[in-house]
Amino acid sequence: MKKYINNIWLGIYTVLVGMKITIIHLFAKNVTVQYPNKHPLEKASGDKMPMNARNRIFVDMDLCNGCNGCARACPVNCITVQTLKVVPGDAPPLKNGEKRGLWVPSYTLDFAKCCFCGLCIDPCPTEAIKMTTEFEYSAYDRKDLFYKFSTMTDEEIQQKKELLANFQAEKAKKEAEAKKAADAAKAAEAPKPETGELKIDN
Amino acid sequence: MEQQILTLYDWIVKLSSSNLIALIVVITLPLVFLMVYALVAILGELKISAFIQERLGPMRTGPWGIIQPVAEVVKLLQKEDITPDAANKPLFNMAPFLMFTAAYAGFAVIPFSSHFVPAGINLGLFYIFAMGSLAVIGLVMGGWASNNKYSLLGALRSVAQIISYEIPAAIVILTIVVLASSMNLQVINANQGGWFWNWYLFGGPGTAWKLIIIPVTFSMFLLYLVASLAETNRTPFDIPEGESELVAGYHTEYSGMKFAMFFFAEYANMFVVAALISILFFGGWNSPFGDFMNGPIWGVFWFISKSFVFVFVQIWLRWTLPRLRVDQLMGVTWKVMTPIAFICFFAIGLWLMFN
């Protein structure tokens, strides 16, 4: 009997609690933004994007160190990064002061393929790839959605390639010389330990 | 009643010296009111549901979307009127109109003002209750004639529902009849004149001894409120038309104008039960503040605003509570509401005996 009355009381009380919650929401501020009439970034409509808004992605090439993390994270493979090794002393450091190890001659992002999952944002070590607040960028042609972020011109790329090739050739030459010298030195020095050994043996 | 008051009917007869015109006006006025009310209620439902979910609701049709219900009605009128091949055609076509007729027939005895009630019959309360139950026949007819499992299940559930909620509702209404010693809604209203403490929610007119029965009348009000939600098939008792279980229940196969009839009938029923609550417990067309803003014209205002409060409560509850299961409804009505209604009836009878 006690349980019966308690259940009735709880039934009424919990409904009243629920009604209180809904009436509070009835008078709360609406979250809807009347989009085509009002832009979500206007002062009147809150001046900010929702927390998980998925918009156009931008890559700051002054920060990109060409680690390829974004391309590997991308589930639809819409990012392609091509890199080129930097000749020591040739490159300015990254914007955040880190040493630049790779040139990025080509960084492309195909927004026609992009699924806006945002997985490319997290692995970036230098925070070069970011969500912007721009979302109105539909295009008439699919080609217009193929974004090229790299700031390097063709001549620069050519130049850097040559530089690298020269450097590598030089390095290879040096290495070869060094190796030859080392070999020669080794050859010259080689008998000594043998004699030494022999001596010890004897 | 002690003196013959000049009703709207008499007044029009005097003006036009024609009984026919007066009859037509008296019959048409509730229909006009019902149509306007249905539009307001549809918009209210859309807007209130939106605001409770912190949305804006319809905003594009007219300023703040106020023409949206008109657009919806026009849409329903334009739609193709489909009758399924396997349906029982006469029953299928009759059901929505029967349901709407039953809902609208309830308006015949609703006293809008002290000087205007379409039919001031002495069995008003009995009649309105009978008409409210008649709507279920239309519902069962539609569900059966559709020849569709979901419709049939919805109809069966509504039958199970009606035998559950009608008993506590009927007992509560009987208790009010005992208190008011009349079934005429106009008399019940007139009894509650004066200040708001004369409402039957607060025990009706009487001496300080009525304080004893205030808990009883309060619980009667709650019982009738719950039963009225079940009667209008609204959440948490929208078991016959539960979208997630039965597509749309008994009106799954209906489209166009016939669906609109079901729709209108539902909203008309909502108003009838809300009006009944305001008549039985909240003084109907009486002003809550004695002679302040009291009179035949203000009576319309008070009556309609009181009824709208309960229409709002129905919408409010819809967005608060989830749907009950069939067995839960049975449990609530048979195990809780029926015994409590009997206790209330007994208590009021006892009180009247010693008073």
Side-chain angles (χ1 to χ4, degrees), chain B residues 39-194:
Chain B
L39 295 183
V40 173
I42 293 169
L43 182 71
E45 175 112 52
L46 290 170
K47 279 292 185 185
I48 290 168
S49 62
F51 287 149
I52 282 178
Q53 297 169 346
E54 298 188 9
R55 295 180 286 116
L56 288 173
M59 288 290 283
R60 301 280 151 172
T61 36
W64 286 84
I66 54 169
I67 316 178
Q68 182 70 28
V70 179
E72 298 209 348
V73 171
V74 169
K75 177 201 77 178
L76 283 172
L77 285 174
Q78 285 174 337
K79 275 195 171 176
E80 189 189 350
D81 188 15
I82 300 166
T83 308
D85 281 340
N88 187 337
K89 290 199 177 58
L91 288 185
F92 185 83
N93 290 331
M94 212 165 85
F97 298 99
L98 185 75
M99 199 169 162
F100 182 75
T101 312
Y104 180 56
F107 277 73
V109 292
I110 286 181
F112 283 89
S113 147
S114 53
H115 290 62
F116 177 55
V117 49
I121 57 174
N122 276 332
L123 282 173
L125 204 47
F126 183 69
Y127 169 84
I128 210 169
F129 201 66
M131 284 303 142
S133 314
L134 191 62
V136 179
I137 294 181
L139 202 149
V140 174
M141 211 186 254
W144 172 260
S146 297
N147 207 353
N148 173 332
K149 348 186 203 327
Y150 294 120
S151 305
L152 183 59
L153 273 174
L156 290 177
R157 283 178 176 203
S158 94
V159 174
Q161 186 169 323
I162 184 180
I163 55 169
S164 308
Y165 73 75
E166 288 264 282
I167 288 164
I171 293 167
V172 167
I173 284 178
L174 266 182
T175 317
I176 291 289
V177 172
V178 169
L179 257 180
S181 42
S182 170
M183 274 198 174
N184 190 333
L185 292 171
Q186 223 32 330
V187 174
I188 292 173
N189 267 345
N191 279 354
Q192 304 176 67

Side-chain angles (χ1 to χ4, degrees), chain B residues 18 27 67 70 85 104 108 118-119 136 153 183 190 197 205 209 223 231 238 243-244 278-279 291 320 343:
Chain B
S18 155
I27 292 169
I67 316 178
V70 179
D85 281 340
Y104 180 56
V136 179
L153 273 174
M183 274 198 174
W197 52 73
W209 281 107
L223 286 175
E231 186 173 348
D238 60 343
E243 290 91 354
S244 47
S278 78
I279 293 164
D291 283 336
T320 304
I343 290 168

Side-chain angles (χ1 to χ4, degrees), chain A residues 17-128:
Chain A
V17 170
M19 287 173 85
K20 187 185 144 206
I21 291 169
T22 39
I23 201 82
I24 287 169
H25 280 277
L26 179 65
F27 293 109
K29 198 171 171 288
N30 299 314
V31 292
T32 311
V33 177
Q34 291 282 295
Y35 163 57
N37 302 359
K38 270 186 189 163
H39 199 278
L41 292 177
E42 268 176 36
K43 265 267 153 47
S45 43
D47 192 21
K48 64 172 189 292
M49 281 279 160
M51 270 241 293
N52 290 324
R54 301 288 163 75
N55 306 314
R56 173 191 264 162
I57 292 164
F58 176 74
V59 185
D60 188 352
M61 294 314 289
D62 289 339
L63 272 172
C64 181
N65 63 1
C67 70
N68 209 26
C70 43
R72 265 181 282 134
C74 185
V76 292
N77 295 332
C78 67
I79 302 176
T80 42
V81 187
Q82 285 173 8
T83 52
L84 208 60
K85 274 186 182 162
V86 162
V87 176
D90 177 48
L94 298 174
K95 213 197 252 170
N96 61 1
E98 278 176 28
K99 199 183 144 212
R100 191 191 288 269
L102 295 163
W103 289 113
V104 187
S106 149
Y107 189 115
T108 60
L109 204 165
D110 192 352
F111 276 106
K113 280 188 197 166
C114 180
C115 66
F116 299 96
C117 58
L119 288 177
C120 51
I121 314 294
D122 296 329
C124 187
T126 55
E127 290 176 19

Side-chain angles (χ1 to χ4, degrees), chain A residues 183-199:
Chain A
D183 284 350
K186 221 179 182 179
E189 279 177 21
K192 273 181 187 171
E194 274 180 6
T195 51
E197 266 177 320
L198 277 173
K199 269 176 191 169

